[in-house]
């Protein structure tokens, strides 16, 4: 599909969804407590946006997500680098890693709250823990998928382990790491919000719960709209990073 | 451009080289009975049908593959001691692989100057040397491009430039000109002869072209098909520097025809 076509179709699709929503609410006379019509949600959102406390909650969620994500990126690349390079380390730690990956991290939230309190720290930790895995596994994959010919070039040049890592393994992993980061930022956002659902009194996740408890369903939809926009902005920022970090890669050349 | 003279050239001794590859649960004998003294500063060309073990032999000499049996001696020192490669022996090695093997995340310039970077040469100097080498192999003006923006032949030339950047004592080339058109190939052959004569390095080059072999070689080693054995070792004593016109002399043609006749018996 050409670029201009997708620019046109995406908004049309969005408009279509809103129209179906409106039509459904009208046709079946759905109660505003269950599914408010789009226009009411929009008004509630505007009201929310005029309240300075909303920005405080947005800021908290943003902080938790970005901080957790940043930790996940650093720790994920370091661990992935170590595990990718040192075979024995990966073999010994692999069962543990798989186990941790399979474990539902959300179940840990009460524990995190006990350990780190009701404040932002427990949410940052949760966001980091969830976002860490795809970044780490993709780093390992990137390091292992260095072409044999590329390794041989470095071998023929008598390059050491560090030189090989910096010049070959790390850049070769970048497209993989970025894919891990695209998944990771979404997971970090989810982690922060779920953390807020379950404990504390700040952030958009808390706001969603608070509005629901107050039977203010249209405001809750407004909060969800804000959350979606926040998530989208963060996701596309990470996607844009690709252009700057791997300008050499085919995925950038073809315009993706 | 100037070709930097290496401190010294080195000879290579191959003794009883044999290579078996493990393929699932069977073994393939790829190469056997290679005994050869390659003189310091010699230009040796490996010739033979596809799959006869030319790349294998080159990888063994480069120290990328430890032969199943036999020994490799470089400049009087053993390349392998047990399982361990003697890295010090392979200090100044230039390798051009059958595929260009450029790093897609480095510009052409950075690819060419990578051997210098690993050696700690400052950036400005690396850039200057990369520009010289680009001019030498005929890709001047492409220094800042990504490898994917070059044609196959141009990438191969960049790979040659990379191999030359560190002024190697030993230059190993696996069909380096296979992807080039006939005209460029003749030109590159002349350039290679000049570089080799000025630098005095030891060159081992693999090719499928008998003409290229005769044109470049001091000696041509013809390998027989599987398993690869030393079939013919032919000294080419045509005066240097050889010009393209040397190819039309009866002497040249005799070498060419006799090698071709031998090669044809393999088919
Ligand atoms: N890694 C490997 N594992 C198993 N067999 C191999 C391996 N590499 C090479 N061989 C086998 O060894 C033989 C020699 O291969 P080699 O690549 O040295 O041939 P070549 O003379 O370079 O051929 P070409 O002219 O086509 O490049 C072939 O029969 C090949 O199948
Ligand atoms: Mg080969």
């Amino acid at each position: 599909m050409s670029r201009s076509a997708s620019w046109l179709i995406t908004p049309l699709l969005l408009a279509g969804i809103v129209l179906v929503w409106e039509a459904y609410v009208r046709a079946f006379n759905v109660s505003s407590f269950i599914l408010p019509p789009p226009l009411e949600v929009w008004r509630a959102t505007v009201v929310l946006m005029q309240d300075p406390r909303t920005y405080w909650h947005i800021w908290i969620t943003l902080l938790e997500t970005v901080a957790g994500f940043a930790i996940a990126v650093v720790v994920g690349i370091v661990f992935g680098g170590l595990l990718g390079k040192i075979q024995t380390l990966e073999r010994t730690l692999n069962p543990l890693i798989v186990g941790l990956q399979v474990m539902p991290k959300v179940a840990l939230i009460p524990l995190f709250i006990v350990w780190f309190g009701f404040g932002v720290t427990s949410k940052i930790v949760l966001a980091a823990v969830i976002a860490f895995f795809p970044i780490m596994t993709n780093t390992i994959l990137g390091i292992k998928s260095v072409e044999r010919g590329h390794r041989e070039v470095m071998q023929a040049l008598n390059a050491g382990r560090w030189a090989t890592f910096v010049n070959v393994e790390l850049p070769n992993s970048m497209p993989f790491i970025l894919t891990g980061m695209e998944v990771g930022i979404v997971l970090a956002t989810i982690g922060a919000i779920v953390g807020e659902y379950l404990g504390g009194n700040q952030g958009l996740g808390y706001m969603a719960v608070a509005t629901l408890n107050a039977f203010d369903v249209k405001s809750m939809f407004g909060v969800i709209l804000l959350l979606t926009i926040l998530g989208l902005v963060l996701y596309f920022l990470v996607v844009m990073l690709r252009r700057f970090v791997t300008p050499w890669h085919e995925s950038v050349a073809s315009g993706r | 451009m100037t070709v930097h003279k290496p401190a010294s050239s080195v000879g290579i001794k191959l003794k009883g080289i044999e290579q078996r590859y493990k393929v699932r649960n069977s073994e393939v004998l790829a190469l056997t009975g290679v005994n050869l003294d390659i003189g310091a500063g010699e230009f040796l060309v490996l010739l033979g049908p596809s799959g006869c073990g030319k790349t294998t032999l080159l990888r063994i000499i480069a120290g990328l593959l430890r032969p199943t049996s036999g020994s490799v001696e470089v400049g009087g020192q053993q390349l392998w001691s047990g399982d361990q490669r003697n890295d010090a022996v392979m200090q100044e090695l230039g390798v051009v692989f059958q595929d260009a093997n450029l790093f897609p995340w480095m510009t052409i310039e950075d690819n060419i100057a990578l051997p210098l970077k690993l050696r700690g040469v400052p950036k400005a100097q690396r850039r200057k040397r990369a520009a010289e080498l680009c001019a030498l192999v005929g890709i001047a003006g492409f220094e800042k491009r990504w490898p994917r923006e070059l044609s196959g032949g141009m990438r191969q030339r960049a790979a040659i430039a990379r191999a030359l950047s560190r002024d190697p004592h030993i230059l190993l080339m696996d069909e380096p000109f296979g992807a080039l058109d006939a005209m460029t190939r003749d030109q590159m052959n002349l350039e290679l002869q000049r570089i080799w004569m000025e630098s005095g390095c030891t060159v081992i080059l693999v090719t499928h072209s008998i003409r290229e072999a005769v044109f470049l070689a001091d000696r041509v080693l013809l390998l027989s098909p599987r398993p690869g054995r030393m079939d013919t070792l032919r000294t080419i004593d045509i005066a240097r520097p050889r010009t393209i016109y040397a190819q039309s002399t009866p002497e040249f043609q005799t070498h060419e025809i006799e090698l071709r006749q031998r090669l044809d018996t393999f088919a």
Side-chain angles (χ1 to χ4, degrees):
Chain A
M1 196 192 300
S2 79
R3 265 202 138 189
S4 53
S6 71
W7 274 118
L8 198 67
I9 288 173
T10 310
L12 280 178
L13 210 61
L14 219 69
I17 291 169
V18 171
L19 279 179
V20 171
W21 176 1
E22 178 75 43
Y24 174 77
V25 170
R26 281 189 194 199
F28 295 93
N29 217 354
V30 181
S31 152
S32 220
F33 284 108
I34 293 169
L35 184 65
L39 204 61
E40 267 188 48
V41 169
W42 177 247
R43 285 207 198 95
T45 312
V46 171
V47 171
L48 279 176
M49 296 300 286
Q50 283 159 350
D51 186 343
R53 278 173 304 176
T54 307
Y55 293 93
W56 163 251
H57 290 299
I58 292 175
W59 160 247
I60 291 293
T61 303
L62 187 67
L63 174 80
E64 290 162 354
T65 306
V66 172
F69 177 69
I71 293 169
V73 168
V74 173
V75 179
I77 292 176
V78 169
F79 269 70
L82 284 173
L83 293 178
K85 286 225 74 165
I86 308 169
Q87 298 282 317
T88 46
L89 197 65
E90 203 211 348
R91 237 173 289 132
T92 32
L93 292 185
N94 205 38
L96 198 71
I97 291 166
V98 174
L100 283 174
Q101 202 159 4
V102 169
M103 179 168 60
K105 260 76 67 182
V106 176
L108 293 176
I109 298 173
L111 195 64
F112 286 162
I113 289 176
V114 174
W115 286 351
F116 304 108
F118 283 96
V120 289
T121 316
S122 53
K123 284 85 177 180
I124 292 175
V125 172
L126 182 67
V129 167
I130 304 187
F132 162 78
F133 285 101
I135 296 171
M136 182 195 66
T137 47
N138 275 35
T139 309
I140 295 176
L141 183 65
I143 286 177
K144 287 192 166 173
S145 61
V146 172
E147 283 174 37
R148 195 174 79 151
H150 284 163
R151 285 205 186 280
E152 291 189 337
V153 169
M154 296 308 275
Q155 250 174 297
L157 288 169
N158 262 346
R161 270 171 163 251
W162 179 247
T164 307
F165 181 72
V166 172
N167 290 295
V168 178
E169 286 161 341
L170 192 60
N172 187 73
S173 308
M174 277 332 286
F176 296 85
I177 293 176
L178 284 163
T179 303
M181 282 168 66
E182 282 172 16
V183 179
I185 190 68
V186 173
L187 291 180
T189 316
I190 294 173
I193 293 163
V194 172
E196 290 165 356
Y197 273 153
L198 297 181
N201 56 4
Q202 48 190 356
L204 287 174
Y206 161 76
M207 255 183 109
V209 176
T211 45
L212 188 64
N213 287 345
F215 297 105
D216 187 0
V217 178
K218 43 187 196 305
S219 295
M220 192 202 75
F221 272 88
V223 173
I224 291 172
L225 186 62
L226 292 181
L227 272 173
T228 310
I229 293 168
L230 180 77
L232 274 177
V233 168
L234 288 174
Y235 175 76
F236 281 111
L237 282 177
V238 173
V239 169
M240 265 164 53
L241 213 58
R242 211 178 263 280
R243 279 180 188 283
F244 298 101
V245 181
T246 57
W248 51 270
H249 198 253
E250 294 294 345
S251 66
V252 173
S254 59
R256 251 174 74 88
Chain B
M1 94 145 233
T2 56
V3 177
H4 306 222
K5 267 203 193 305
S8 61
S9 44
V10 272
I12 299 161
K13 274 195 178 66
L14 305 173
K15 278 188 207 145
I17 298 287
E18 182 166 299
Q19 180 62 42
R20 293 169 187 279
Y21 285 111
K22 279 201 181 62
V23 183
R24 272 171 233 108
N25 33 28
S26 68
E27 270 192 342
V28 177
L29 181 62
L31 199 64
T32 186
V34 178
N35 290 287
L36 185 64
D37 268 14
I38 303 159
E42 175 171 355
F43 201 126
L44 179 79
V45 173
L46 299 179
L47 195 63
S50 184
C52 72
K54 304 180 296 291
T55 298
T56 302
L57 186 56
L58 210 68
R59 282 162 47 82
I60 288 172
I61 297 170
L64 295 171
L65 185 66
R66 193 166 76 94
T68 318
S69 61
S71 73
V72 184
E73 223 182 271
V74 180
Q77 285 176 284
Q78 286 294 331
L79 181 57
W80 293 90
S81 42
D83 266 358
Q84 211 56 42
R85 189 178 76 146
N86 252 325
D87 285 350
V89 175
M90 270 306 170
Q91 275 302 317
E92 303 308 339
L93 173 70
V95 184
V96 180
F97 294 87
Q98 206 164 347
D99 309 311
N101 278 336
L102 297 178
F103 296 113
W105 48 84
M106 296 181 193
T107 58
I108 292 302
E109 172 182 82
D110 288 343
N111 264 291
I112 292 174
L114 177 68
L116 302 176
K117 185 183 176 195
L118 293 179
R119 211 206 233 164
V121 175
K123 177 127 194 158
Q125 226 170 306
R126 297 206 302 264
R127 198 171 279 169
K128 187 166 156 280
R129 181 84 176 119
E132 284 176 2
L133 285 161
C134 278
L136 177 75
V137 298
I139 51 170
F142 288 87
E143 286 86 348
K144 305 288 181 202
R145 299 290 195 91
W146 299 115
R148 65 171 151 80
E149 297 169 332
L150 269 62
S151 73
M154 291 163 88
R155 280 199 287 260
Q156 193 59 16
R157 284 188 257 174
I160 295 166
R162 174 172 65 186
L164 292 174
S165 71
R166 205 144 85 160
D167 310 315
H169 295 171
I170 299 173
L171 185 57
L172 307 177
M173 307 174 99
D174 198 350
E175 300 184 34
F177 309 131
L180 303 184
D181 60 285
M183 279 242 296
T184 319
R185 194 166 181 157
D186 280 346
Q187 234 168 8
M188 293 299 295
N189 280 344
L190 284 168
E191 280 301 334
L192 180 60
Q193 177 182 238
R194 193 176 65 76
I195 291 163
W196 167 73
M197 287 179 77
E198 286 179 23
S199 70
C201 61
T202 309
V203 180
I204 303 171
L205 179 139
V206 172
T207 181
H208 274 128
S209 155
I210 300 172
R211 171 183 296 245
E212 185 170 83
V214 175
F215 181 76
L216 288 170
D218 286 331
R219 286 191 294 171
V220 175
L221 173 60
L222 187 62
L223 292 174
S224 66
R226 283 181 274 174
R229 293 173 203 276
M230 292 177 55
D231 183 83
T232 312
L233 190 58
R234 193 183 178 96
T235 305
I236 312 288
D237 44 13
I238 303 172
R240 307 257 189 194
R242 298 171 189 165
T243 64
I244 294 300
Y245 304 105
Q247 296 181 357
S248 41
T249 61
E251 197 188 359
F252 191 101
Q253 283 163 1
T254 308
H255 283 300
E256 203 181 337
I257 288 164
E258 289 183 14
L259 280 168
R260 167 146 295 135
Q261 280 167 345
R262 186 65 208 152
L263 206 55
D264 282 345
T265 64
F266 298 153

